[in-house]
Amino acid sequence: MTPVLECNGLTKAFGRKKALSDVSLKIDHGQIVGLLGPNGSGKTTLIKLANALLTPSAGEIRIAGMTPGLSTKKIISYLPERNYLNDWMRVQDIIGLFSDFYEDFKPEKAYDMLKRLNISANDRLKTLSKGTKEKVQLVLVMSREAELYLLDEPIGGVDPAARDYILETIISNYNPEATVIISTHLISDIERVLDYVVFINEGRVVLSSSVEDIREQGKSVDGLFREVFRC
Amino acid sequence: MLTRLIKYELKATGRVLLPLYAVLLVFAAISKLIFAFSDNSYSVPAVISTMIYIMILIGMFVMTFVVMIQRFYKNLLSDEGYLMFTLPTMTWKHITSKLLVSTIWNIGSSLAAILSIVILAFDEIFFTGLLPKFFRLLGEFFNSFGLNSGLIILEFILAGIICMASGMLIIYASIALGHLFNQHRVLASLGAFLALSTVSQILFFCVTSLPGLDSLSEYVDSLDNLQASAFMFHWVMWFIIIFFGLLSAGYFFITNYILNKRLNLE
């Protein structure tokens, strides 16, 4: 089966600074993957390349065998690390927008999750707090039935209670064929849900392994991370 | 998808511009009332209300321009671009929807301005015989140009829309070119605008000085003969339509290529 995400010699440079250099990687269907690394290691760059928001400087990236474009946008559900909401809209307007453009978007799922998180669909996005906006974006992203979920720092800005609910949603909401890639440096919070981890540092992949293998060596992901990235 | 993009574009821009139109028309009506009740047109309330009216009028056109640039830059190339460029739709549809909606608002603002002038000059237009005079002039125009007159109006409208579109597309292309730089993108966009307009002017100069295409001076020479001047007029209009049409296509191509193949959102 074609891997859901594949990179070959993928490089991205901004001016002279290389954000990613020569990354080769294969991620298969049906797992939850942690893309782990310290700040500025290239996690966001990799995810943006997968979404065609950045153009590679060298090498290639493929999503389910395709170069990023119209057909990959249909199967990727992407949560950026920043707020992309149009401030003038109400929560229900942005849900309408997602229903208009994504065939796999399930509005009833979105309304259900909003209710659980105590967010009113009638609120203007402008009036929401930063954390609530993050929750709204996560609700939008998780209400799609995508093949690949790319979640860039999904739990960074929300309170611990919501963090638990969000993780629970991520695990329970996606179909077994789909892959979820979560980028974060808050490893202990998500360790229990991960099947596979990719460690990335200074634009290079330093480790790529299943969580099972790490546990067999008698280590935890968090412990291994501290070992690899010791300052 | 294009119609959906247009729908959202209209919503996002209409909520800014439609209230402005309403304010303009209401203020034209208020000014009209103040004029009707003051003895001479130089009384203090009349002068103040005229000044406010003119400020709103200028403000409306400035806003139309600002909204056009802001919708392209902010909605596509700032944080909001993370949403827009991950929607499953083609890049040219984003550009087209923004171009179409901006054209609509340019025309809308002009209509609102005309309507406000009609309100202000209501008496002059309807009670002093200006309207019949206008229709008489229009009748003369149709009489003297006959079948051509419909075509002339069509050419005027087409040339107007195409010149407007090329004016917007040169700005889109400049912003897109500025986006190719890693730093100082706004400054680079200004530079790109200067470069593009210079190149376009040189092109215009080259094309118009081609032998046999020196039509404008011939047009002026032929003005004493009505039939010949109508012919030359068509020539000049179609030259403008085709030249600016091709220029617009070039700007569109540059914008689309960069946003499609060289996108690097910050």
Side-chain angles (χ1 to χ4, degrees):
Chain A
M1 205 173 171
T2 4
V4 71
L5 184 132
E6 186 177 12
C7 312
N8 290 312
L10 185 66
T11 301
K12 178 66 194 173
F14 297 102
R16 273 190 218 150
K17 195 179 169 293
K18 274 190 180 171
L20 277 187
S21 41
D22 200 19
V23 167
S24 297
L25 195 64
K26 261 185 201 164
I27 307 276
D28 287 323
H29 281 271
Q31 38 183 2
I32 300 184
V33 180
L35 182 62
L36 312 175
N39 296 320
S41 52
K43 305 185 295 281
T44 297
T45 305
L46 180 60
I47 289 178
K48 278 165 79 179
L49 283 163
N51 281 296
L53 296 178
L54 292 176
T55 313
S57 308
E60 60 161 13
I61 180 162
R62 289 182 173 274
I63 310 296
M66 303 172 282
T67 43
L70 181 63
S71 34
T72 64
K73 287 173 186 175
K74 285 183 186 166
I75 59 170
I76 295 180
S77 192
Y78 166 50
L79 178 77
E81 97 287 21
R82 58 182 74 198
N83 162 32
Y84 62 40
L85 301 170
N86 297 250
D87 264 348
W88 56 273
M89 285 187 176
R90 289 175 195 277
V91 177
Q92 62 204 20
D93 296 330
I94 192 90
I95 291 179
L97 187 144
F98 267 66
S99 329
D100 268 353
F101 283 96
Y102 293 109
E103 284 168 20
D104 59 3
F105 184 78
K106 302 279 174 270
E108 58 288 349
K109 218 166 167 180
Y111 282 114
D112 196 48
M113 287 164 78
L114 286 174
K115 218 172 173 183
R116 279 287 304 274
L117 289 164
N118 283 322
I119 301 170
S120 156
N122 204 27
D123 281 349
R124 278 190 187 282
L125 293 169
K126 196 188 288 181
T127 63
L128 301 181
S129 73
K130 194 166 168 284
T132 313
K133 280 183 193 165
E134 283 185 24
K135 288 180 198 169
V136 170
Q137 290 193 166
L138 193 80
V139 165
L140 292 169
V141 167
M142 293 316 295
S143 300
R144 285 184 56 197
E145 287 176 357
E147 257 182 65
L148 176 61
Y149 296 84
L150 295 172
L151 313 179
D152 199 354
E153 301 280 356
I155 52 173
V158 300
D159 51 277
R163 203 173 281 186
D164 284 343
Y165 172 69
I166 285 165
L167 283 177
E168 191 188 305
T169 321
I170 291 172
I171 309 166
S172 58
N173 239 5
Y174 87 107
N175 80 62
E177 282 302 295
T179 290
V180 184
I181 298 181
I182 305 175
S183 109
T184 187
H185 54 269
L186 300 169
I187 299 166
S188 52
D189 280 312
I190 63 157
E191 172 160 4
R192 62 191 168 88
V193 306
L194 297 180
D195 301 315
Y196 196 88
V197 290
V198 175
F199 283 9
I200 180 169
N201 194 24
E202 290 175 357
R204 291 173 190 279
V205 172
V206 289
L207 178 103
S208 145
S209 152
S210 76
V211 172
E212 214 171 292
D213 288 348
I214 293 175
R215 296 227 174 92
E216 269 174 20
Q217 297 168 28
K219 291 172 183 163
S220 73
V221 175
D222 197 23
L224 187 64
F225 185 85
R226 284 167 204 270
E227 205 179 302
V228 172
F229 293 108
R230 192 182 300 279
C231 292
Chain B
M1 287 297 178
L2 185 60
T3 47
R4 285 175 196 170
L5 285 175
I6 292 172
K7 182 180 103 183
Y8 281 97
E9 196 57 30
L10 277 173
K11 268 194 199 167
T13 46
R15 82 200 167 86
V16 182
L17 291 172
L18 287 177
L20 261 180
Y21 294 171
V23 169
L24 181 79
L25 295 180
V26 166
F27 220 85
I30 293 174
S31 300
K32 178 69 198 155
L33 280 178
I34 292 176
F35 270 103
F37 286 110
S38 55
D39 305 326
N40 65 72
S41 48
Y42 297 104
S43 70
V44 175
V47 170
I48 291 177
S49 74
T50 311
M51 276 170 60
I52 296 180
Y53 164 76
I54 291 172
M55 274 157 62
I56 297 174
L57 189 67
I58 295 171
M60 180 188 73
F61 280 109
V62 171
M63 266 318 268
T64 315
F65 183 71
V66 169
V67 164
M68 180 212 48
I69 293 182
Q70 192 221 23
R71 283 300 297 170
F72 187 81
Y73 183 75
K74 187 164 171 253
N75 191 236
L76 292 182
L77 296 174
S78 76
D79 287 357
E80 287 176 24
Y82 280 70
L83 174 63
M84 298 316 278
F85 280 115
T86 46
L87 292 178
T89 179
M90 307 293 282
T91 307
W92 69 264
K93 291 185 180 170
H94 285 300
I95 306 169
T96 309
S97 68
K98 294 204 163 11
L99 182 69
L100 274 176
V101 171
S102 286
T103 308
I104 290 172
W105 292 123
N106 270 321
I107 296 171
S109 298
S110 310
L111 288 180
I114 292 171
L115 199 59
S116 74
I117 292 170
V118 169
I119 292 175
L120 273 176
F122 192 79
D123 300 337
E124 287 79 359
I125 291 172
F126 291 98
F127 300 130
T128 59
L130 204 64
L131 209 58
K133 258 188 218 157
F134 174 73
F135 281 117
R136 211 178 312 128
L137 217 65
L138 207 66
E140 272 174 34
F141 169 78
F142 275 99
N143 272 336
S144 42
F145 286 99
L147 281 174
N148 266 328
S149 43
L151 190 61
I152 288 177
I153 292 173
L154 184 81
E155 286 166 354
F156 250 119
I157 294 174
L158 210 60
I161 289 176
I162 288 195
C163 287
M164 206 195 285
S166 83
M168 289 186 276
L169 282 164
I170 194 175
I171 294 176
Y172 290 175
S174 306
I175 295 174
L177 283 167
H179 182 77
L180 290 175
F181 291 79
N182 279 325
Q183 286 160 344
H184 310 299
R185 286 180 170 172
V186 175
L187 203 67
S189 297
L190 285 175
F193 180 75
L194 288 179
L196 278 181
S197 22
T198 311
V199 170
S200 308
Q201 272 168 17
I202 292 174
L203 262 177
F204 188 79
F205 178 76
C206 290
V207 174
T208 45
S209 50
L210 283 177
L213 280 179
D214 191 7
S215 34
L216 213 61
S217 57
E218 281 175 43
Y219 174 60
V220 176
D221 292 342
S222 69
L223 275 181
D224 41 348
N225 177 339
L226 196 64
Q227 288 306 317
S229 96
F231 172 76
M232 282 312 294
F233 180 82
H234 291 312
W235 219 108
V236 170
M237 288 313 268
W238 282 107
F239 173 77
I240 291 174
I241 291 167
I242 291 170
F243 180 83
F244 283 97
L246 288 174
L247 216 53
S248 303
Y251 299 147
F252 191 98
F253 177 81
I254 293 174
T255 314
N256 189 47
Y257 177 81
I258 293 172
L259 295 190
N260 218 2
K261 303 274 186 217
R262 293 277 172 272
L263 187 67
N264 283 303
L265 287 189
E266 272 175 355

